[in-house]
Amino acid sequence: MSYKLEKPYTDMQRADFIVQYNHNMGLNIEETENAIYALLENEYINEAGEAAVDSNYAIEKAQKRQQIFEQEFFQTSLGWIRRKVNMQDGSKKDFLSDLLLQIKAGLELGQNVQIITYSLPDFTQEITEEYMLTLQTRKNATLQFIQECLMQTVADFMGEEAE
């Protein structure tokens, strides 16, 4: 629900409106010839100069979440893999360039190497770290998985979609 302050208004009324709705509540401020509006994320000013709800907002928000997810993860037969992983010591590593060869070496030595995979999220809801934890599964790496990761590295280098 948008908020509106109609003209004429004083500089003090305008400043108070902006502080209350933008600074305190985080709403977007838009000014027209006739008023100043405080808009929610899914609202905009239409051609008539009035606040309106964007009927495509939910779809566009879900598409943006999916796009970000697909930049941060890649798909394998075991599940989705996070490109930048958090190590137990708090450091971050690149899965493909920093960890893949160690995982491959472990498999070649006959070790069970567990990796964390993710299920595909529901993009209609907020993608938080807490939500992502619920999508995690530990799985044993396989030679097929290693091959898929190597193909992803090649695809990243060549700028193509992995097959």
Side-chain angles (χ1 to χ4, degrees), residues 28 39-44 52-65 123-124 126:
N28 298 318
L39 305 171
L40 298 174
E41 280 187 1
N42 66 339
E43 296 175 319
Y44 68 101
V53 174
D54 181 354
S55 59
N56 294 322
Y57 177 78
I59 294 167
E60 291 169 0
K61 188 77 168 177
Q63 289 172 339
K64 182 68 174 166
R65 286 182 184 130
F123 297 112
T124 63
E126 197 67 34

Side-chain angles (χ1 to χ4, degrees), residues 65 68-69 72-73 82 118 121-136:
R65 286 182 184 130
I68 291 168
F69 178 84
E72 295 176 356
F73 292 77
R82 188 183 292 263
Y118 293 82
D122 174 1
F123 297 112
T124 63
Q125 63 178 304
E126 197 67 34
I127 308 292
T128 63
E129 281 304 313
E130 294 79 18
Y131 176 48
M132 292 305 296
L133 286 173
T134 68
L135 303 176
Q136 284 185 355

Side-chain angles (χ1 to χ4, degrees), residues 14 113-114:
R14 180 183 180 280
V113 180
Q114 285 201 332

Side-chain angles (χ1 to χ4, degrees), residues 81-116:
I81 305 297
R82 188 183 292 263
R83 288 178 176 276
K84 302 285 184 197
V85 297
N86 298 316
M87 304 301 285
Q88 286 188 351
D89 67 1
S91 64
K92 284 198 177 275
K93 300 271 185 183
D94 182 281
F95 187 89
L96 293 171
S97 63
D98 296 334
L99 302 174
L100 185 58
L101 289 179
Q102 290 87 335
I103 294 168
K104 182 178 184 292
L107 284 179
E108 288 171 351
L109 293 172
Q111 297 177 349
N112 277 339
V113 180
Q114 285 201 332
I115 56 166
I116 296 174

Side-chain angles (χ1 to χ4, degrees), residues 6 11 14 18 20 23 34 48 61 64 68-69 71 93 113 129-130 135 143-144 148 151-152 155:
E6 291 190 34
D11 288 343
R14 180 183 180 280
I18 291 171
Q20 180 179 358
H23 299 185
N34 301 321
K61 188 77 168 177
K64 182 68 174 166
I68 291 168
F69 178 84
Q71 290 170 353
K93 300 271 185 183
V113 180
E129 281 304 313
E130 294 79 18
L135 303 176
L143 292 177
Q144 178 184 350
E148 292 167 348
M151 293 303 295
Q152 184 64 53

Side-chain angles (χ1 to χ4, degrees), residues 29 70 73 87 108 132 137 142 163:
I29 302 297
E70 290 174 355
F73 292 77
M87 304 301 285
E108 288 171 351
M132 292 305 296
T137 306
T142 64
E163 293 183 21

